[in-house]
């Protein structure tokens, strides 16, 4: 081909490319809880002049590659300077989002909190010297308007550790002389206890205090908020003492390293042994001759469950409970010593294991016959919790007699799958969808109502879960007493589109609760685009 022909061919190709239709723009979907998809980006900013409780809510638009391509203020309650938050938001990156296997742009709300600049210590103040046995670090954590543990723990330079929930300044062994009841001070094993740690590790912790110029800190960092716990760090050495009070201190300029030092004291001292419990708690009790066949053992286990019931990490309490079983816990003992005719500790344990999806503990108790001993009500209540999205537990409970149609205060087991705070809230979407399928196979009704009059489909912002429910026949047009339908109860575009495709009425609701108004209020562009395309105002 000569040069002239080559030019003509190239011209034709370029002309064809220019005339070819451009790729359609990516669809944009409102993603509920988009901030949980963050990969990088600052959530807390140091801003001069901020009060510590200021924050800005930002509506971000995220491209298919996960980078922010747009940001605007959605809420600024305290009228803070929004510029730093906007600049930070534009630097965030997210997991790329998809819908039905196709990449999409995402819209969602994120929050960025402000804190004032740190008030750094005076580095000119020397660190006191002293013999290791004369150096002591003490951490106090006080009660709050809630269940904050109230205790004090001290570590000496020679490795001696003392934990206490009583006002006793002496440093003597009182291990085992705990309070009459477990759980006082919102601490599992209250009283005074002594142990030791490696002196080298104790000296390393003291070195952290020296390196961070702890002695040069101001004496207190106290916010004006209420109902929070107070933390106090004290260092005594060489005849000197430094005490730093932290009451929501980060909000008033307390350096971040103070929190790190507080946590470092807890970690080295192993305070979880006494505060919330773990397998070492049982080991220490065994070393002191504690009778695990006693009423007090049942009380200990019941208290451990109550103190850890709402924890997002149940590994420590699960280790404690398994260790208690190995130590000879009498499962027939009443869980409450004051109520000898109440539930046994075995029933309480089995219900806890089932409701929190603790399969290893649940299987162990089932092998010991506890599942067969549960009452009908106990089985029903455990089944209605969602069971940590563990299909094997659901099947075992039904086989033992649980009624899959049972409706508790929060609804049935399907209702629990959509909850932001239930035992399945941290479970991947695919596992929640699988659990929903299993529950429906077991006979859990799709149209049951919770205490708000909502079916499991209503309020479901998880597209995988919504798809499974719709495919199983969930009614997309059911409504509560106020006329709220599934379409008016969700805040995720992906779910809204699935509902509309399944026949949800786009004209549902009366003013002021129309679908269009709801979509505008919750920034749902895909829903608005669907309404526009179908001529619905």
């Amino acid at each position: 081909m000569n040069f002239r022909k080559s030019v003509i061919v190239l011209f034709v190709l370029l002309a064809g490319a220019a005339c070819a239709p451009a790729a359609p723009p990516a669809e944009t979907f409102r993603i509920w809880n988009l901030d949980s998809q963050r990969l990088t980006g600052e959530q807390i900013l140091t801003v001069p002049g901020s009060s510590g409780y200021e924050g800005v809510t930002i509506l971000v638009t995220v491209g298919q590659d996960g980078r922010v391509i747009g940001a605007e203020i959605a809420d600024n309650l305290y009228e803070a300077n929004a510029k730093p938050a906007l600049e930070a938001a534009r630097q965030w990156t997210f997991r790329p989002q998809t819908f039905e296997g196709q990449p999409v742009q995402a819209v969602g709300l994120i929050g960025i909190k402000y804190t004032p600049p740190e008030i750094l210590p005076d580095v000119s103040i020397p660190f006191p010297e002293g013999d290791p046995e004369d150096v002591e670090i003490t951490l106090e954590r006080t009660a709050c308007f809630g269940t904050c543990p109230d205790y004090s723990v001290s570590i000496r330079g020679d490795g001696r550790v003392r934990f206490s929930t009583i006002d006793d300044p002496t440093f003597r062994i009182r291990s085992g002389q705990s309070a009459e009841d477990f759980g006082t001070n919102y601490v599992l094993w209250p009283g005074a206890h002594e142990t030791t740690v490696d002196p080298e590790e104790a000296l390393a912790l003291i070195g952290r205090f020296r390196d961070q110029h702890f002695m040069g800190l101001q004496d207190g960092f106290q916010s004006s908020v209420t109902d929070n716990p107070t933390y106090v760090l004290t260092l005594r050495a060489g005849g000197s003492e430094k005490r730093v009070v932290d009451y929501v201190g980060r909000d008033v300029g307390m350096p971040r390293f103070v929190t790190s030092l507080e946590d470092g004291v807890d970690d080295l001292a192993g305070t979880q042994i006494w505060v919330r419990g773990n397998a070492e708690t049982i080991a220490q009790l065994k070393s002191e001759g504690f009778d695990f066949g006693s009423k007090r053992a049942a009380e200990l286990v019941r208290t451990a469950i109550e103190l850890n019931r709402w924890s997002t990490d149940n590994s420590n309490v699960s280790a404690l409970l398994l260790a208690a079983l190995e130590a000879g816990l009498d499962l027939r003992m009443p869980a409450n010593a004051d109520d000898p005719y109440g539930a046994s500790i075995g029933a309480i344990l089995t219900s806890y294991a089932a409701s929190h999806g603790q399969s290893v503990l649940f299987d162990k108790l089932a092998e010991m016959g506890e599942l067969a001993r549960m009452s009908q009500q106990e089985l029903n209540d455990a089944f209605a919790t969602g069971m940590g999205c563990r299909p094997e537990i659901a099947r075992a409970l039904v086989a033992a007699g649980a009624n899959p149609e049972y409706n508790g205060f929060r609804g049935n087991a399907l209702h629990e799958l959509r909850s932001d705070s239930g035992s399945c809230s941290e479970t991947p979407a695919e596992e929640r969808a699988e659990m929903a399928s299993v529950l429906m196979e077991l006979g859990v009704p799709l149209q049951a109502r919770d205490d708000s009059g909502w079916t499991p489909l209503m309020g479901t912002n998880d597209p995988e879960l919504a798809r499974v429910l719709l495919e199983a026949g969930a009614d997309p047009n059911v409504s509560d007493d106020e006329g709220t339908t599934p379409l008016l109860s969700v805040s995720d575009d992906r779910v809204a589109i699935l509902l509309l495709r399944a026949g949800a009425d786009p004209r549902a609701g009366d003013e002021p609760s129309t679908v269009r108004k709801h979509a505008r209020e919750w920034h749902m562009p895909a829903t608005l685009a669907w309404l526009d395309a179908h001529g619905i105002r």
Side-chain angles (χ1 to χ4, degrees):
M1 184 181 294
N2 61 34
F3 177 77
R4 178 181 176 82
K5 289 183 178 180
S6 298
V7 171
I8 292 173
V9 171
L10 180 59
F11 176 79
V12 171
L13 291 174
L14 291 174
C19 295
E27 290 187 271
T28 303
F29 288 78
R30 162 69 192 275
I31 306 294
W32 174 253
N33 200 21
L34 181 62
D35 55 358
S36 69
Q37 301 299 302
R38 179 183 67 96
L39 294 176
T40 64
E42 295 294 328
Q43 294 177 295
I44 301 176
L45 299 180
T46 299
V47 178
S50 63
S51 60
Y53 51 78
E54 295 173 358
V56 180
T57 302
I58 300 171
L59 182 71
V60 294
T61 302
V62 181
Q64 292 178 339
D65 61 356
R67 297 181 182 276
V68 173
I69 58 177
E72 60 184 83
I73 301 300
D75 185 35
N76 189 359
L77 179 62
Y78 296 102
E79 299 183 350
N81 174 16
K83 183 178 179 181
L86 286 170
E87 291 176 350
R90 294 187 180 103
Q91 302 306 311
W92 280 34
T93 62
F94 296 81
R95 295 181 183 88
Q97 299 298 301
T98 62
F99 179 56
E100 298 181 325
Q102 299 299 314
V104 298
Q105 292 187 166
V107 170
L109 297 174
I110 66 171
I112 293 181
K113 187 180 184 298
Y114 287 177
T115 59
E118 294 183 351
I119 302 172
L120 299 176
D122 182 351
V123 299
S124 68
I125 297 178
F127 193 85
E129 299 300 330
D131 294 332
E133 62 270 18
D134 294 326
V135 179
E136 181 181 59
I137 296 169
T138 300
L139 168 66
E140 301 167 67
R141 296 193 189 269
T142 73
C144 64
F145 190 69
T147 60
C148 304
D150 185 2
Y151 65 92
S152 171
V153 62
S154 61
I155 302 175
R156 287 192 172 175
D158 57 5
R160 284 186 288 169
V161 174
R162 183 176 188 273
F163 175 93
S164 179
T165 57
I166 56 178
D167 185 16
D168 183 358
T170 60
F171 198 84
R172 62 178 183 273
I173 296 176
R174 294 188 57 204
S175 185
Q177 298 180 23
S178 56
E180 185 65 22
D181 299 313
F182 291 103
T184 57
N185 301 81
Y186 292 108
V187 168
L188 174 63
W189 189 6
H193 309 279
E194 265 196 7
T195 185
T196 60
V197 297
D198 185 342
E200 292 297 323
E201 293 187 25
L203 291 176
L205 179 62
I206 293 169
R208 289 176 59 188
F209 277 71
R210 177 187 292 108
D211 295 343
Q212 298 288 0
H213 303 283
F214 179 79
M215 302 301 290
L217 286 168
Q218 66 180 38
D219 293 337
F221 300 88
Q222 296 173 282
S223 175
S224 59
V225 299
T226 60
D227 302 333
N228 281 265
T230 298
Y231 308 143
V232 182
L233 266 179
T234 305
L235 186 142
R236 302 178 185 90
S240 299
E241 177 179 296
K242 178 66 179 182
R243 185 173 184 267
V244 176
V245 178
D246 165 15
Y247 182 77
V248 197
R250 290 285 302 279
D251 282 0
V252 290
M254 185 185 78
R256 297 183 184 184
F257 73 75
V258 178
T259 299
S260 177
L261 292 176
E262 293 166 351
D263 294 341
V265 174
D266 268 331
D267 291 342
L268 180 57
T271 55
Q272 284 303 307
I273 295 172
W274 308 290
V275 176
R276 290 292 182 260
N278 53 30
E280 291 183 55
T281 307
I282 304 302
Q284 283 207 13
L285 284 165
K286 285 176 67 176
S287 70
E288 296 174 8
F290 186 80
D291 182 4
F292 281 91
S294 67
K295 292 180 179 180
R296 293 196 71 224
E299 182 184 352
L300 167 74
V301 168
R302 178 181 61 83
T303 304
I305 289 174
E306 289 303 318
L307 289 176
N308 289 279
R309 186 171 294 278
W310 307 115
S311 174
T312 55
D313 180 5
N314 294 299
S315 57
N316 280 337
V317 67
S318 292
L320 179 148
L321 298 175
L322 285 166
L325 288 177
E326 295 293 334
L329 179 70
D330 183 354
L331 296 173
R332 304 275 59 76
M333 194 68 67
N336 186 344
D338 296 329
D339 184 9
Y341 301 104
S344 68
I345 193 59
I348 297 294
L349 263 176
T350 309
S351 295
Y352 169 82
S355 62
H356 286 72
Q358 299 294 309
S359 295
V360 174
L361 179 61
F362 180 84
D363 290 346
K364 177 74 173 177
L365 290 162
E367 289 173 6
M368 299 173 74
E370 289 305 308
L371 185 58
R373 297 188 186 101
M374 292 178 71
S375 69
Q376 179 70 59
Q377 190 61 53
E378 290 168 341
L379 289 167
N380 290 346
D381 288 339
F383 188 82
T385 62
M387 299 156 283
C389 280
R390 300 289 186 181
E392 66 275 14
I393 293 179
R395 292 191 177 99
L397 288 173
V398 170
N403 178 8
E405 297 184 7
Y406 176 73
N407 228 39
F409 173 73
R410 286 160 57 104
N412 63 27
L414 281 174
H415 285 101
E416 282 294 318
L417 299 189
R418 63 158 196 226
S419 173
D420 290 335
S421 59
S423 63
C424 289
S425 59
E426 301 297 325
T427 306
E430 296 78 9
E431 293 182 21
R432 285 196 300 273
E434 178 190 358
M435 184 67 175
S437 297
V438 171
L439 292 175
M440 289 183 287
E441 289 171 9
L442 292 171
V444 179
L446 273 170
Q447 299 305 117
R449 308 278 184 148
D450 62 12
D451 57 309
S452 298
W454 285 19
T455 67
L457 181 61
M458 300 171 75
T460 297
N461 283 307
D462 178 347
E464 295 300 321
L465 177 58
R467 189 190 309 278
V468 169
L469 296 177
L470 287 167
E471 289 176 352
D475 185 356
N477 286 306
V478 67
S479 65
D480 63 13
D481 292 341
E482 297 179 353
T484 301
T485 66
L487 195 53
L488 292 167
S489 69
V490 301
S491 306
D492 188 292
D493 260 326
R494 298 166 299 178
V495 176
I497 295 299
L498 291 174
L499 289 168
L500 288 165
R501 291 178 183 171
D505 183 2
R507 295 181 173 84
D510 297 322
E511 287 288 355
S513 299
T514 65
V515 173
R516 179 172 288 277
K517 181 172 182 179
H518 177 79
R520 283 176 178 162
E521 180 181 354
W522 290 97
H523 310 287
M524 300 168 69
T527 302
L528 291 170
W530 191 98
L531 295 173
D532 290 341
H534 290 77
I536 297 170
R537 296 295 164 192

